[in-house]
Amino acid sequence: MIGRLILTYPDVARRSGMFLMLALVTLAIYGLGISPAWIGHLLPTSAGWLEANPALGRLVSASMVALIAVANWKALRQLPRSGQVIGVWVELFVLLMLFFYSFDLSFAFIAKKIGYLVSQGVVTTLYISVISIAIATLIALVGAIAKLSKNGVIYGLATFYTSLFRGLPLLMQIYIIYLGLPQVGYVIGAVPAGILALSLCYGAYMTEIFRAGIESIPRGQTEGATALGLSPSQTMALVIMPQAMRVIVPPTGNQFIAMLKDSSLVSVVGVWEIMYLARTQGQTEFRHIEMLITASMIYWILSIGLEFLQSRVEARFGRFDVR
């Protein structure tokens, strides 16, 4: 019956669906407990009425927000796809900045400290992350080949490594390496301990990514390379890995971004990276939220740079696979 009505009166059905969606969005916003205070700031004359009718004021506020959202959706739909993407980014960024602005931040304090955060913290974070990424990639490649080996000893070592370092929290690994190795006579610095922990932890995760990428290549590719007289190492380097990289790069890029953010954990052993400096610099004038937000924005910018680099690498390895 409902389907017959929709087919018979499509315009009415579309408008009814829009009103229903608007009602559902309004109820959802109302359920979130949105405050009508912003209406009082825009229309000071309504402040008294809103204060006297809090429930009705919330409903009016929710309805207005829902109408603004629907109007914004309709406006964005008129733009081309690239314009829609840019519009969404700009609007959400503005909303994020307004959210931060509501914290009553001291921008003078941020301006005074941001140079030190970048010159000291960003350099240290990138130094640790780049070295850890390089070592983790090498570990992952070796581990993936070991997990594909028919040798039981090599396979056992690889599986034990991946199970152990994927099973322990990264923070615990940092503590075990930094505090545990001196117990057996090897004293390690804070930065090398952080790099070693990040490399071993993410190398274990990336081992499975590399293994899955290598196994995604049909066996016929290996057989064909063998028929051409290529050695196993040449087959892996010249035939298998270039094709497997199309599968490996996207999840590996995600691991790199996660490693960049998890490098903040090395601050627990006193490494002067972004998070450590944000926490210590914020304590001087009890401006913790300013430094934490600044550090968050720096991490975001660094992540965007890695996302761009990942997209370029994906495009390079996928240029022969354009459909």
Side-chain angles (χ1 to χ4, degrees), residues 164-165 168-184 186 188 193 196-197 200 268-269:
L164 177 64
F165 284 93
L168 295 179
L170 176 57
L171 185 59
M172 186 179 295
Q173 295 178 36
I174 294 173
Y175 278 129
I176 290 175
I177 292 173
Y178 183 65
L179 301 177
L181 289 182
Q183 302 299 318
V184 295
Y186 183 77
I188 187 171
L196 182 59
L200 291 173
V268 299
V269 292

Side-chain angles (χ1 to χ4, degrees), residues 233-252:
S233 58
Q234 289 176 323
T235 301
M236 179 62 68
L238 301 177
V239 178
I240 303 300
M241 287 306 298
Q243 298 181 73
M245 289 303 291
R246 293 197 299 270
V247 179
I248 292 172
V249 168
T252 301

Side-chain angles (χ1 to χ4, degrees), residues 26 30 34 36 39 49-64:
T26 301
Y30 181 84
I34 185 171
I39 301 178
W49 181 85
L50 293 172
E51 186 176 352
N53 303 275
L56 190 57
R58 282 176 54 198
L59 181 59
V60 172
S61 176
S63 301
M64 293 181 66

Side-chain angles (χ1 to χ4, degrees), residues 128-145:
I128 293 173
S129 299
V130 169
I131 296 178
S132 300
I133 286 170
I135 298 175
T137 302
L138 181 60
I139 292 174
L141 181 59
V142 174
I145 295 174

Side-chain angles (χ1 to χ4, degrees), residues 35-116:
S35 172
W38 64 276
I39 301 178
H41 290 299
L42 294 177
L43 300 172
T45 56
S46 65
W49 181 85
L50 293 172
E51 186 176 352
N53 303 275
L56 190 57
R58 282 176 54 198
L59 181 59
V60 172
S61 176
S63 301
M64 293 181 66
V65 171
L67 287 171
I68 293 173
V70 170
N72 181 65
W73 173 271
K74 288 288 187 181
L76 289 174
R77 292 282 291 175
Q78 306 304 314
L79 300 175
R81 185 177 184 277
S82 59
Q84 293 174 3
V85 174
I86 294 173
V88 169
W89 270 74
V90 170
E91 290 180 357
L92 293 179
F93 182 78
V94 170
L95 289 175
L96 180 64
M97 292 300 103
L98 290 175
F99 175 66
F100 289 155
Y101 183 77
S102 66
F103 295 164
D104 191 24
L105 303 177
S106 173
F107 294 100
F109 180 78
I110 293 176
K112 182 172 65 174
K113 298 293 185 180
I114 191 171
Y116 186 55

Side-chain angles (χ1 to χ4, degrees), residues 131-276:
I131 296 178
S132 300
I133 286 170
I135 298 175
T137 302
L138 181 60
I139 292 174
L141 181 59
V142 174
I145 295 174
K147 293 200 71 172
L148 295 173
S149 173
K150 298 185 183 300
N151 186 305
V153 175
I154 295 176
Y155 179 80
L157 290 172
T159 53
F160 181 84
Y161 159 69
T162 55
S163 177
L164 177 64
F165 284 93
R166 289 197 302 169
L168 295 179
L170 176 57
L171 185 59
M172 186 179 295
Q173 295 178 36
I174 294 173
Y175 278 129
I176 290 175
I177 292 173
Y178 183 65
L179 301 177
L181 289 182
Q183 302 299 318
V184 295
Y186 183 77
V187 178
I188 187 171
V191 172
I195 292 174
L196 182 59
L198 287 169
S199 302
L200 291 173
C201 180
Y202 278 90
Y205 285 103
M206 290 164 55
T207 292
E208 294 300 320
I209 295 174
F210 275 60
R211 179 193 59 78
I214 292 172
E215 287 189 327
S216 69
I217 306 304
R219 184 178 298 273
Q221 297 289 316
T222 303
E223 295 173 351
T226 303
L228 292 174
L230 297 181
S231 66
S233 58
Q234 289 176 323
T235 301
M236 179 62 68
L238 301 177
V239 178
I240 303 300
M241 287 306 298
Q243 298 181 73
M245 289 303 291
R246 293 197 299 270
V247 179
I248 292 172
V249 168
T252 301
N254 293 336
Q255 293 296 317
F256 287 171
I257 294 173
M259 181 190 291
L260 175 69
K261 294 179 293 183
D262 281 348
S263 65
S264 62
L265 293 176
V266 302
S267 64
V268 299
V269 292
V271 178
W272 286 30
E273 48 76 60
I274 297 174
M275 189 55 65
Y276 179 87

